[in-house]
């Protein structure tokens, strides 16, 4: 199959209803699988398709496999065996695959050999820019080591803020120490006047003083086995 045919096969010949001899099934109109496919239509899959050859037998459509893996991630599914099972049983996955049933070795080969880190990074970048263009995200959410700091996607505006604030305070102390060493080095060697370098300072962060007070209070409470007070100050 020529590489352009993969686009035509996935985007132009898609089905929205699956007909059985005894009844008809269709996906709800607001199923996110429709949004996924619409967003994917403007993505450039040339990096992924470059991992495939136009020669030899035609396998499963790589764009379809990417869609299935992405939709599985949207549903919180990571295990390949679970994805394979959903391709047999879940209507949205059956709609994406058009009734095809990729086996576990197909997904392992796709995720391990074809969907390389470089290819995935490029597709993820395009995907995020496309979602922003549609107004579905703002790109203002912040994630640190997988911890959600702020999100506009649901009613919970903050997760684990107290824990983050606690560790951030220690990090800023370390940064301040490094600035002090740097400034001392400039002063001791006369580099400040020589190269017109002033003292370096960390950005002032509003709310940090309150965080430090709460941390100190909670340390005292821990000694007396009292309940900790919340440390959910918003830091600017």
């Amino acid at each position: 199959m020529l590489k352009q045919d993969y686009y035509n096969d996935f985007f132009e010949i898609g089905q929205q209803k699956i007909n059985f001899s005894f009844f008809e099934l269709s996906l709800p109109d607001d199923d996110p699988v429709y949004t996924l496919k619409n967003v994917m239509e403007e993505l450039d899959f040339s990096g992924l398709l470059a991992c495939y050859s136009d020669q030899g037998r035609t396998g499963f459509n790589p764009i379809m496999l990417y869609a299935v893996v992405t939709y599985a991630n949207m549903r919180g599914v990571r295990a390949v065996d679970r994805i394979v099972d959903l391709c047999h049983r879940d209507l949205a996955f059956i709609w994406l695959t058009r009734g095809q049933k990729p086996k576990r070795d197909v997904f392992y080969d796709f995720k391990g050999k074809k969907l390389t880190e470089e290819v995935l990074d490029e597709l993820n970048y395009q995907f995020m820019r496309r979602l922003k263009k549609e107004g579905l995200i703002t790109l203002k959410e912040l994630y640190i080591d997988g911890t959600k700091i702020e999100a506009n996607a649901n009613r919970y505006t903050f997760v684990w803020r107290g824990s983050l604030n606690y560790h951030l305070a220690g990090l800023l102390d370390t940064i301040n120490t490094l600035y002090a060493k740097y400034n001392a080095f400039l002063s001791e060697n006369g580099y400040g006047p020589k190269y017109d370098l002033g003292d370096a300072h960390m950005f002032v962060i509003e709310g940090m003083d309150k965080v430090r007070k709460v941390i100190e209070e909670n340390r005292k409470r821990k000694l007396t086995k009292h309940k900790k007070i919340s440390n959910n100050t918003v830091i600017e």
Side-chain angles (χ1 to χ4, degrees):
M1 179 183 288
L2 296 177
K3 292 173 181 176
Q4 182 59 39
D5 294 336
Y6 285 123
Y7 285 89
N8 298 334
D9 176 67
F10 186 73
F11 291 115
E12 296 183 9
I13 317 178
Q15 61 188 38
Q16 291 198 2
K17 293 186 178 180
I18 302 172
N19 297 314
F20 294 85
S21 58
F22 50 95
F23 62 86
E24 182 181 85
L25 294 176
S26 62
L27 287 166
D29 293 336
D30 60 349
D31 193 291
V33 73
Y34 293 126
T35 302
L36 170 65
K37 197 165 184 180
N38 289 336
V39 167
M40 286 178 55
E41 285 186 6
E42 291 192 15
L43 302 190
D44 178 6
F45 289 94
S46 58
L48 175 62
L49 299 183
C51 300
Y52 289 82
S53 172
D54 289 336
Q55 308 299 319
R57 295 176 57 189
T58 299
F60 289 98
N61 189 329
I63 299 177
M64 178 269 287
L65 294 177
Y66 172 78
V68 170
V69 170
T70 302
Y71 186 64
N73 287 337
M74 291 167 60
R75 297 266 294 266
V77 177
R78 302 290 188 274
V80 168
D81 287 342
R82 178 63 177 148
I83 295 175
V84 171
D85 184 61
L86 289 170
C87 288
H88 284 75
R89 303 174 185 275
D90 189 282
L91 191 58
F93 283 86
I94 295 172
W95 182 81
L96 275 178
T97 62
R98 296 172 56 213
Q100 299 177 85
K101 299 178 176 61
K103 302 297 184 182
R104 63 199 307 267
D105 59 329
V106 173
F107 286 106
Y108 278 123
D109 179 76
F110 177 73
K111 295 177 71 174
K113 297 180 180 179
K114 302 299 193 296
L115 195 63
T116 63
E117 182 177 352
E118 182 179 2
V119 170
L120 183 59
D121 283 347
E122 174 58 27
L123 286 174
N124 283 346
Y125 174 77
Q126 293 185 61
F127 199 88
M128 295 298 289
R129 302 307 302 183
R130 184 72 177 87
L131 289 175
K132 183 177 184 299
K133 179 181 178 181
E134 290 292 320
L136 298 173
I137 60 173
T138 66
L139 298 183
K140 293 181 180 179
E141 292 81 358
L142 174 64
Y143 294 80
I144 296 178
D145 294 336
T147 301
K148 182 165 61 175
I149 310 307
E150 287 192 31
N152 299 324
N154 57 47
R155 61 194 177 94
Y156 298 104
T157 58
F158 220 95
V159 179
W160 308 126
R161 179 186 281 157
S163 177
L164 177 67
N165 283 352
Y166 178 85
H167 293 289
L168 182 58
L171 175 62
L172 295 181
D173 286 340
T174 301
I175 294 174
N176 266 331
T177 300
L178 291 174
Y179 273 121
K181 290 182 178 179
Y182 171 74
N183 290 328
F185 173 77
L186 294 182
S187 177
E188 291 169 1
N189 293 276
Y191 292 147
K194 182 176 181 180
Y195 296 106
D196 194 23
L197 297 174
D199 285 351
H201 299 282
M202 184 172 57
F203 290 111
V204 175
I205 301 178
E206 295 181 9
M208 203 64 231
D209 289 341
K210 185 175 180 180
V211 168
R212 293 184 188 281
K213 289 177 65 176
V214 172
I215 291 174
E216 187 60 34
E217 178 63 26
N218 281 334
R219 285 172 178 165
K220 296 176 182 178
R221 286 173 171 257
K222 184 176 181 180
L223 295 175
T224 57
K225 297 184 178 180
H226 283 77
K227 183 179 179 180
K228 294 199 304 182
I229 57 179
S230 65
N231 190 7
N232 291 332
T233 299
V234 176
I235 301 171
E236 297 292 340

